[in-house]
Amino acid sequence: MTDTQNNQEATMSKTLYERIGGEAAVNAAVELFYRKVLNDYRINRFFDDSDMDKQIAKQKAFFTMAFGGPNNYTGRDMRNAHAPLVKMGLDNSHFDAVMEHLGATLVELKVPADLIAEAAAIAESARNDVLGK
Amino acid sequence: MKGVMVKLTIEEKTYSCQPGETVLDALLREHVNISYACKKGTCHSCMVRSADTLPPEAAQAGLKNTLKKQNHFLACLCRPEQDMIIKLPDQSEFYTEGTVVVNEMLNRNTLLLVIAFEDAFEFSAGQFVNLQRADGLTRSYSIANTPQESNTLEFHIRRLTGGRFSEWLHDEITVGDTIAVSEPRGHCFYLPERSEQGLLLVGTGTGLAPLAGILTDALAQGHSGPIYLFHGSREFDDLYRIDELRQLARQHQNFHYIPCLSGKHVPEGFTHGRVNEVALASFTDLKDWRVFLCGHPEMVNQMKKMTFLKGASMKDIYADAFFVTPV
Ligand SMILES: Cc1cc2nc3c(=O)[nH]c(=O)nc-3n(C[C@H](O)[C@H](O)[C@H](O)COP(=O)(O)OP(=O)(O)OC[C@H]3O[C@@H](n4cnc5c(N)ncnc54)[C@H](O)[C@@H]3O)c2cc1C
Ligand code: HEM
């Protein structure tokens, strides 16, 4: 086996979460992302600011999930977590706005484009659950 | 998997933690009532404190530095390497009797209360304690001084009309009375690191109490970065320690004191406006600043968000909201 093959093998067996930088990457992304979300009049009403520390923890959960990292959420959990928001009118346009900020945050952190695409695909796959469809 | 079996002690009871097992899993297996949610270090629901040993580093990942210093850790991330004595967050408190040695008014509705102890009372300036009356009524009050050789704690108590505890302190407590005081709590305090960092202190009313302690501590520890204190109330008569703080600002080139009044009558030397708005308008960017917010819960929550949006990192924002218990 050549070195290149070896490398490739190693890369293939690592999860996106590991390749993107694990918890350190999540921590770097969370604050950038949350500032964007709170500044976006289209969606900030969904983010209750009564407890910033808890909100930050939830954004961490969001990124860990989008990076395919270790988490215990099921599709049903996602439905339940977002059900109150769907009642408030959460729809595709809001989902798209969140996807936009996810992408912009990762670009700002200079994450390679192919990894951004992977993260976006994982987040995208939650669309139906998040929107309760 | 490496690891050893260790003993966990909580309130005189001991539990075993198997090799490789987390503290949370061990306690759940032993049917200890502990709150938890994500089991992976994100939600911080299972935060507990080690009473004796330093917790493993990995169990403190992502905690604020002041929490780390107090040996708080996440039970779900903790694979203990040695026996531990653990305090759960809701565990009953230990009270010490103190004696009131000063009882005088700071302004028309704020009482300065100084309580002395026989033995050293360990705390960090800016923390709060619970005071308890003989009938069990308990309220939180912030410590306004730094640790003293005289073992005294200073408090600023605002009279709340109809308030059970504050009126009792104002009207009935006198010098020589004893009062039960809990262990210090909270993680809104100064740590002597990154001394070149800017410090922004914003408080309403008796929110000045913890900020005064934090300020004294920071100056005593030689903090070299700029320190801005914004203290606000509606009327002039509800501010206090104005001359002392001005004096301090003259003595320390890096310390700036901005008293704010939101009411109509604003004498010269005071800034007109709500303290949070004045403070925010004074900065274009709070990136790399350390922020302390104390007092009115709405002000505190609003400012947490606004200072974060101005660039302060959540781990650098410390806050004590003076919640009033609803009846
Ligand atoms: C961490 C922390 C630190 C604190 N530090 C301090 C401190 O350093 N100094 C200090 O003075 N206080 C401090 N407090 C507030 C203090 O703990 C008490 O809540 C306060 O003194 C009122 O208690 P009380 O028993 O007098 O009022 P209570 O008998 O509890 O009466 C409160 C009642 O007043 C109502 N009420 C609420 N807000 C107001 C208002 N603005 N005006 C009139 N009525 C109102 C409430 O609904 C309630 O019915 C702190 C609180 C916390 C949580
Ligand atoms: C892109 C796909 C999304 C994923 C993967 C995702 C993931 C998550 C996760 C893991 C949580 C934490 C749940 C918990 O532990 O309670 C959460 C909560 C939350 N999400 Fe999402 N989310 C997505 C889209 C959205 C969108 C589009 C919005 C609104 C515009 C949104 C708003 C929220 C809010 C407000 C919470 C907190 C709810 C609460 O306070 O309990 N999310 N999300």
Side-chain angles (χ1 to χ4, degrees):
Chain A
M1 216 195 283
T2 68
D3 269 2
T4 340
Q5 269 174 322
N6 246 335
N7 270 341
Q8 244 170 13
E9 204 108 308
T11 316
M12 293 310 285
S13 61
K14 273 194 170 178
T15 64
L16 172 64
Y17 181 75
E18 288 166 320
R19 280 176 286 142
I20 229 166
E23 189 182 330
V26 170
N27 288 338
V30 161
E31 295 210 347
L32 283 178
F33 173 78
Y34 198 40
R35 273 193 200 100
K36 290 185 201 302
V37 165
L38 287 181
N39 271 318
D40 184 343
Y41 66 91
R42 295 173 295 175
I43 52 174
N44 56 13
R45 70 186 173 97
F46 293 110
F47 293 82
D48 169 20
D49 53 58
S50 62
D51 190 332
M52 288 283 292
D53 289 298
K54 277 206 186 117
Q55 283 295 328
I56 289 281
K58 295 206 167 152
Q59 306 313 315
K60 268 192 166 177
F62 167 82
F63 273 98
T64 305
M65 211 177 144
F67 293 168
N71 70 78
N72 306 319
Y73 292 108
T74 61
R76 191 198 185 96
D77 293 334
M78 281 296 94
R79 277 174 192 269
N80 290 340
H82 297 91
L85 311 177
V86 173
K87 277 215 189 87
M88 285 167 66
L90 188 74
D91 65 22
N92 277 312
S93 71
H94 306 120
F95 193 93
D96 294 341
V98 166
M99 293 297 292
E100 215 178 273
H101 296 310
L102 172 65
T105 301
L106 298 182
V107 168
E108 216 170 310
L109 289 172
K110 303 200 165 60
V111 172
D114 52 331
L115 298 191
I116 297 182
E118 274 187 65
I122 296 176
E124 185 59 49
S125 71
R127 187 183 288 258
N128 284 344
D129 287 326
V130 166
L131 297 179
K133 293 199 171 141
Chain B
M1 178 166 281
K2 90 174 176 94
V4 287
M5 178 147 124
V6 303
K7 265 193 338 217
L8 306 176
T9 306
I10 299 176
E11 276 195 326
E12 340 250 272
K13 286 212 186 92
T14 61
Y15 308 93
S16 68
C17 187
Q18 304 296 328
E21 194 177 32
T22 66
V23 168
L24 179 62
D25 286 335
L27 296 182
L28 291 175
R29 180 173 46 70
E30 301 265 17
H31 305 291
V32 173
N33 192 4
I34 173 172
S35 71
Y36 71 98
C38 75
K39 282 192 155 190
K40 61 182 166 57
T42 308
C43 74
H44 296 188
S45 299
C46 67
M47 186 165 70
V48 295
R49 195 162 73 84
S50 163
D52 53 349
T53 62
L54 226 53
E57 206 179 308
Q60 295 188 309
L63 295 187
K64 274 197 202 320
N65 287 341
T66 50
L67 287 169
K68 286 185 188 168
K69 190 187 167 214
Q70 297 168 318
N71 290 344
H72 284 280
F73 66 94
L74 301 175
C76 70
L77 295 184
C78 184
R79 293 192 166 80
E81 290 141 10
Q82 52 186 317
D83 293 352
M84 297 181 91
I85 298 176
I86 295 173
K87 292 209 153 191
L88 302 184
D90 52 353
Q91 220 163 293
S92 60
E93 294 188 284
F94 184 71
Y95 282 85
T96 319
E97 289 284 316
T99 307
V100 175
V101 292
V102 175
N103 168 325
E104 61 190 41
M105 294 305 281
L106 288 162
N107 65 23
R108 61 179 174 183
N109 57 27
T110 308
L111 174 72
L112 168 68
L113 200 66
V114 180
I115 299 181
F117 297 84
E118 265 175 33
D119 301 316
F121 194 101
E122 273 179 46
F123 67 96
S124 297
Q127 284 192 290
F128 64 91
V129 294
N130 289 335
L131 301 185
Q132 194 170 63
R133 201 162 73 179
D135 65 357
L137 192 67
T138 306
R139 293 287 184 272
S140 306
Y141 294 98
S142 304
I143 306 172
N145 57 351
T146 51
Q148 306 287 313
E149 277 183 20
S150 54
N151 298 335
T152 50
L153 299 188
E154 175 186 322
F155 300 96
H156 305 164
I157 317 268
R158 186 187 163 91
R159 176 195 287 273
L160 198 66
T161 307
R164 283 158 291 171
F165 208 91
S166 61
E167 290 211 321
W168 172 69
L169 288 174
H170 271 255
D171 300 338
E172 290 177 43
I173 281 291
T174 54
V175 168
D177 286 347
T178 59
I179 191 160
V181 181
S182 77
E183 293 165 313
R185 311 179 133 226
H187 53 269
C188 182
F189 58 82
Y190 178 80
L191 281 179
E193 47 178 33
R194 295 168 74 196
S195 81
E196 71 300 334
Q197 203 179 13
L199 302 185
L200 170 61
L201 282 51
V202 184
T204 55
T206 46
L208 181 62
L211 296 179
I214 289 163
L215 171 67
T216 311
D217 199 17
L219 290 173
Q221 308 226 36
H223 192 87
S224 59
I227 308 177
Y228 282 85
L229 167 63
F230 293 83
H231 184 211
S233 70
R234 187 194 297 271
E235 290 168 35
F236 171 78
D237 290 332
D238 295 325
L239 289 179
Y240 58 95
R241 292 262 162 101
I242 300 165
D243 293 338
E244 291 91 330
L245 289 163
R246 287 198 167 134
Q247 177 65 26
L248 210 55
R250 279 192 293 271
Q251 286 165 353
H252 298 268
Q253 209 183 311
N254 61 332
F255 171 55
H256 310 273
Y257 166 59
I258 304 96
C260 305
L261 296 168
S262 61
K264 280 214 185 76
H265 181 65
V266 183
E268 212 184 302
F270 294 82
T271 305
H272 184 217
R274 285 171 179 264
V275 66
N276 49 328
E277 288 163 9
V278 175
L280 281 174
S282 312
F283 298 89
T284 45
D285 189 353
L286 288 170
K287 189 170 184 305
D288 292 331
W289 280 67
R290 209 185 312 178
V291 179
F292 295 91
L293 308 166
C294 302
H296 201 287
E298 265 169 50
M299 184 285 286
V300 167
N301 279 329
Q302 157 87 357
M303 279 298 274
K304 263 194 191 174
K305 177 172 160 185
M306 297 311 290
T307 52
F308 170 72
L309 287 177
K310 278 226 164 166
S313 172
M314 271 317 279
K315 69 169 176 21
D316 282 331
I317 303 177
Y318 297 94
D320 263 337
F322 288 4
F323 291 106
V324 175
T325 332
V327 268

